[in-house]
Amino acid sequence: MRDFNEELWKFMEMLDAGENFALNRFGDGELTAINRKDFDMVGVGKVNEFSYFKDSEKYNYSRNLLEDSFYNKQPNYFKGIPCHCCVLGNEALEIYNKLDKQDNWTWANIFVNGNYSDFKSYFPTTLENRNVIVVSHKKTKIDDLSFDVDAHITISSDAWVEDLEIIQEIIDTIEVYEWKDVVVLIAGGPFANIAVNELWKWNQNNTYLDIGSTLDPYLFGKPTRQYHAHNNPMGSKKCIWLDEVEEDE
């Protein structure tokens, strides 16, 4: 049986030990696009949201890159998927049944919900003595982050279609400064998925994390998700994996 909190500490210990890896996290929106179904969350009040319309050629190239990021099987490339208990209900079981059980799958929620308190407390210490690049929305500021940032690169909403050239900017930044063992933290919906995949294929001597909304209270100066709020029930939720679902049913 896989344990939600133990899985978090696996990644924290890898970071602490300087072991480089890539971690990509796929939500229901990203999986909807991969499955060629329409999805539109732009303009609903949250930044870093995105749209996908299967009949529009505008999205074809980005959707293919997103799909490639989901099926990458390189060593130390980890992929988070929605859990049965939070996002997709029984639809999550259909996802699990299609997976190669030997692949590097984990929770999409690995940094949030009941793991967020530990993540927030310990994550900054894992970045000590590492060069850090933060990639986030153009409306964000890094001044309140609890760790040092060596470069801040910004993207727009729908960046997975509009800002793919930013991936090369990340590469150029690392090369210009001749950094090694960099930690690249990317908050940007499916842009993060594509970027983490492309960066890992480019250079596996760094760590690339799809950091999602975990840093939003610092980047935006306010909570943006339920699990950010003090004493919200989501902050104590321990997510479950497929084996627990099978045992319960």
Side-chain angles (χ1 to χ4, degrees):
M1 182 180 296
R2 302 176 69 171
D3 183 86
F4 186 54
N5 190 247
E6 288 179 4
E7 189 84 350
L8 169 70
W9 284 104
K10 177 182 77 175
F11 292 113
M12 293 299 98
E13 289 168 4
M14 291 172 68
L15 277 167
D16 211 24
E19 180 180 353
N20 287 312
F21 65 97
L23 175 55
N24 239 335
R25 303 185 303 114
F26 298 85
D28 55 334
E30 287 81 8
L31 293 175
T32 297
I34 289 172
N35 289 325
R36 292 184 169 85
K37 297 179 181 179
D38 291 348
F39 183 86
D40 186 12
M41 290 293 289
V42 172
V44 296
K46 297 178 181 178
V47 298
N48 288 341
E49 297 295 359
F50 69 100
S51 59
Y52 169 74
F53 300 102
K54 64 180 183 297
D55 294 328
S56 174
E57 294 183 1
K58 167 185 175 181
Y59 297 96
N60 289 348
Y61 180 67
S62 295
R63 197 215 67 86
N64 291 340
L65 290 176
L66 180 62
E67 183 176 41
D68 183 63
S69 72
F70 186 71
Y71 289 108
N72 186 337
K73 295 180 180 291
Q74 290 178 294
N76 269 21
Y77 180 88
F78 297 90
K79 295 169 287 187
I81 54 176
C83 55
H84 179 271
C85 58
C86 279
V87 180
L88 296 178
N90 288 332
E91 291 181 34
L93 299 179
E94 297 178 9
I95 296 172
Y96 293 148
N97 289 335
K98 296 177 182 178
L99 301 181
D100 178 351
K101 299 303 187 291
Q102 303 304 313
D103 210 348
N104 289 329
W105 301 104
T106 188
W107 280 269
N109 286 339
I110 191 63
F111 297 142
V112 306
N113 295 346
N115 280 345
Y116 184 61
S117 178
D118 284 350
F119 170 84
K120 184 171 60 174
S121 298
Y122 190 69
F123 181 67
T125 70
T126 70
L127 303 180
E128 294 175 358
N129 304 314
R130 303 280 295 268
N131 294 114
V132 177
I133 297 175
V134 171
V135 182
S136 60
H137 195 270
K138 60 187 178 182
K139 291 184 179 180
T140 60
K141 297 180 180 180
I142 62 171
D143 300 356
D144 293 332
L145 289 172
S146 55
F147 51 86
D148 293 332
V149 176
D150 295 282
H152 182 209
I153 298 173
T154 61
I155 56 175
S156 61
S157 299
D158 237 4
W160 77 304
V161 175
E162 305 295 341
D163 292 342
L164 288 177
E165 72 279 358
I166 297 296
I167 299 172
Q168 186 59 52
E169 183 177 342
I170 299 169
I171 293 172
D172 291 344
T173 300
I174 295 172
E175 289 185 331
V176 165
Y177 289 103
E178 299 182 344
W179 287 336
K180 184 179 179 181
D181 295 320
V182 183
V183 178
V184 183
L185 309 176
I186 308 175
F191 172 85
N193 301 126
I194 294 170
V196 166
N197 184 48
E198 296 301 315
L199 291 167
W200 188 248
K201 291 193 294 184
W202 163 68
N203 187 339
Q204 298 181 13
N205 292 318
N206 304 303
T207 291
Y208 312 103
L209 301 182
D210 172 5
I211 207 68
S213 58
T214 58
L215 303 178
D216 280 8
Y218 311 100
L219 294 173
F220 292 101
K222 61 181 180 180
T224 63
R225 300 292 192 273
Q226 291 184 22
Y227 71 86
H228 293 146
H230 183 62
N231 290 333
N232 187 282
M234 293 302 292
S236 59
K237 182 175 178 55
K238 187 173 183 178
C239 296
I240 61 173
W241 193 249
L242 173 62
D243 50 9
E244 294 182 69
V245 176
E246 290 179 325
E247 289 176 6
D248 289 342
E249 294 182 347

